[in-house]
Amino acid sequence: MKRRALIAGAGAGALALAACARKPASTGTVPSGKRFEWKMVTTWPPNFPGMGSGVNQLVKNIEAASAGRLRIKVYAANELVPAFEVFDAVSQGTVEIGHGAAYYWKNKTPASQFFTAIPFGMNVLEMNGWMYYGGGLDLYRELYARPQFNLVPFPAGNTGVQMGGWFNKPITSVDDLRGLKMRSPGIGGEVLKRAGGTPVTLPASEIFTALQTGSIDAAEWVGPYNDMALGLQDAAQYYYYPGWQEPGPLLECIVNQDAWASLPPDLQTIVELACSALNDQMMAEFFARNANSLALLEEDEDVEIRPFPDEVLRELRRYTGEVLADMVAAYPDVARVYESFSAYRGRAVRWSAISELAYLNTRNL
Ligand code: CA
């Protein structure tokens, strides 16, 4: 218990290490020869492009860097536990490690959603800035370290700004969202509810069938690369952008705290660095492959790619403000995370305006 308490309280000390600038966790010691065989459960279909393939690479990197002292066997969603039981399986120690997205655990703790994506929130650069250098990771670890969760989280992947989703009818005003049953997890789903829609949270493996059979009217998943992997272009006609609901969603690795504490420092460092590498690598893969897949979708005569009207986005942003205000009032954990998130976002918006955004605009002159 003493060790767990130390880890839980470590915050910016032993655990919340910045990805790049830091001291090695272990210096001058001979690594223990003890071998570890772990199981990893994920919320993704087997070998799913981007997420599943990223996880496969993560465990290969950990095994190679540890000279085989830490081997991890990956189980896709439903192979060991269903997608939405990943959190419990790792928390309870059924398995040692998991990969998914924090907003899937909003029923465990609503504040978790800030560690994936907030509508009209931050893009990947801003999100990583908040995580590693803006206090986000400390709050994330503090929340997950609670005894009832017993987890250590690591940023471990990002899709970049997503698409707004697939619809079977044009969306010309916010009224068109009324009555719409849509796969839309996290706070984006709550915003849809304010607009009169019905949000549904489905794992990747169930989205295509639900959309094709009409059990849902619309679905957002990720972007061109991943949506084509599910075949969503064959289940709906209108493909809207941008993904206001998920501007830079962070994915997570979660490790059971007792399993984490059992690792010697060099293996802990290897796991942390491998997650950090995945965080970068997955974003690079999504960017490259989204660009390729977009070109294919633009040639598909059955698909219409459209921007949401500005008026729809303004209304959704207004609803987002209402949803966040209600959550802040209802949950002290949310209030605490929101304070850090919104203060950081304010500074990030200003810097992004005269850096990334200003540059992107110059390309369209
Ligand atoms: Ca999404």
Side-chain angles (χ1 to χ4, degrees):
M1 280 311 288
K2 194 178 173 194
R3 184 156 192 192
R4 183 189 296 180
L6 266 175
I7 286 175
L15 285 175
L17 305 169
C20 308
R22 61 180 187 170
K23 292 178 187 168
S26 165
T27 48
T29 53
V30 178
S32 138
K34 189 172 175 199
R35 289 175 178 270
F36 296 82
E37 303 271 343
W38 280 11
K39 293 189 180 79
M40 174 187 253
V41 290
T42 81
T43 58
W44 322 117
N47 305 310
F48 196 70
M51 292 98 164
S53 55
V55 163
N56 293 344
Q57 188 61 46
L58 172 84
V59 304
K60 268 189 204 156
N61 288 345
I62 290 173
E63 184 171 335
S66 70
R69 288 162 52 228
L70 177 53
R71 289 195 149 103
I72 302 174
K73 183 164 169 44
V74 175
Y75 295 88
N78 298 323
E79 287 181 347
L80 209 55
V81 299
F84 294 154
E85 287 176 24
V86 163
F87 186 95
D88 282 344
V90 183
S91 175
Q92 291 159 12
T94 310
V95 298
E96 293 82 3
I97 185 168
H99 193 270
Y103 66 8
Y104 290 147
W105 325 126
K106 66 179 180 183
N107 294 331
K108 303 277 178 198
T109 171
S112 69
Q113 297 170 101
F114 284 82
F115 305 115
T116 305
I118 295 298
F120 303 98
M122 300 202 272
N123 69 11
V124 58
L125 292 173
E126 296 162 344
M127 193 68 186
N128 282 338
W130 181 53
M131 273 287 133
Y132 292 125
Y133 293 97
L137 189 52
D138 289 347
L139 290 166
Y140 193 9
R141 291 205 163 141
E142 189 182 296
L143 186 70
Y144 276 36
R146 293 190 176 159
Q148 69 270 36
F149 303 141
N150 197 36
L151 294 169
V152 187
F154 299 86
N158 202 306
T159 66
V161 63
Q162 299 201 345
M163 290 289 282
W166 294 89
F167 298 80
N168 278 309
K169 63 175 188 182
I171 303 298
T172 56
S173 81
V174 80
D175 287 341
D176 290 322
L177 299 175
R178 195 162 292 146
L180 206 71
K181 193 170 174 189
M182 179 170 182
R183 190 270 177 190
S184 184
I187 297 177
E190 295 302 311
V191 173
L192 178 68
K193 201 187 283 180
R194 296 265 164 152
T198 304
V200 182
T201 299
L202 294 174
S205 60
E206 296 173 27
I207 299 173
F208 175 80
T209 305
L211 189 57
Q212 198 191 35
T213 59
S215 79
I216 56 175
D217 306 307
E220 74 80 41
W221 169 231
V222 176
Y225 173 46
N226 255 204
D227 291 3
M228 287 185 81
L230 290 183
L232 299 185
Q233 73 281 8
D234 296 325
Q237 180 183 353
Y238 298 98
Y239 196 23
Y240 274 92
Y241 67 89
W244 56 273
Q245 78 289 354
E246 296 190 46
L250 188 77
L251 304 178
E252 67 180 10
C253 245
I254 49 176
V255 178
N256 177 277
Q257 260 188 22
D258 303 307
W260 178 254
S262 76
L263 290 182
D266 66 318
L267 292 187
Q268 288 183 340
T269 300
I270 285 169
V271 170
E272 177 131 31
L273 290 177
C275 286
S276 174
L278 177 59
N279 205 37
D280 292 337
Q281 196 67 38
M282 193 188 290
M283 183 63 249
E285 182 182 358
F286 268 103
F287 195 94
R289 301 203 196 278
N290 273 333
N292 295 344
S293 298
L294 176 63
L296 296 175
L297 283 175
E298 283 179 326
E299 286 171 8
D300 187 333
E301 291 177 354
D302 297 327
V303 171
E304 281 194 43
I305 303 173
R306 296 184 173 192
F308 284 118
D310 288 351
E311 197 46 42
V312 170
L313 294 170
R314 281 194 200 97
E315 281 292 287
L316 292 170
R317 195 175 58 189
R318 189 170 65 78
Y319 288 133
T320 297
E322 291 178 11
V323 168
L324 290 175
D326 287 354
M327 287 175 65
V328 164
Y331 304 105
D333 286 346
V334 169
R336 185 166 147 71
V337 176
Y338 178 77
E339 188 183 356
S340 167
F341 182 92
S342 60
Y344 183 87
R345 181 180 177 278
R347 293 191 295 275
V349 163
R350 183 68 199 126
W351 171 233
S352 289
I354 64 165
S355 57
E356 300 295 332
L357 180 62
Y359 169 66
L360 291 174
N361 285 336
T362 66
R363 292 205 303 210
N364 296 325
L365 289 176

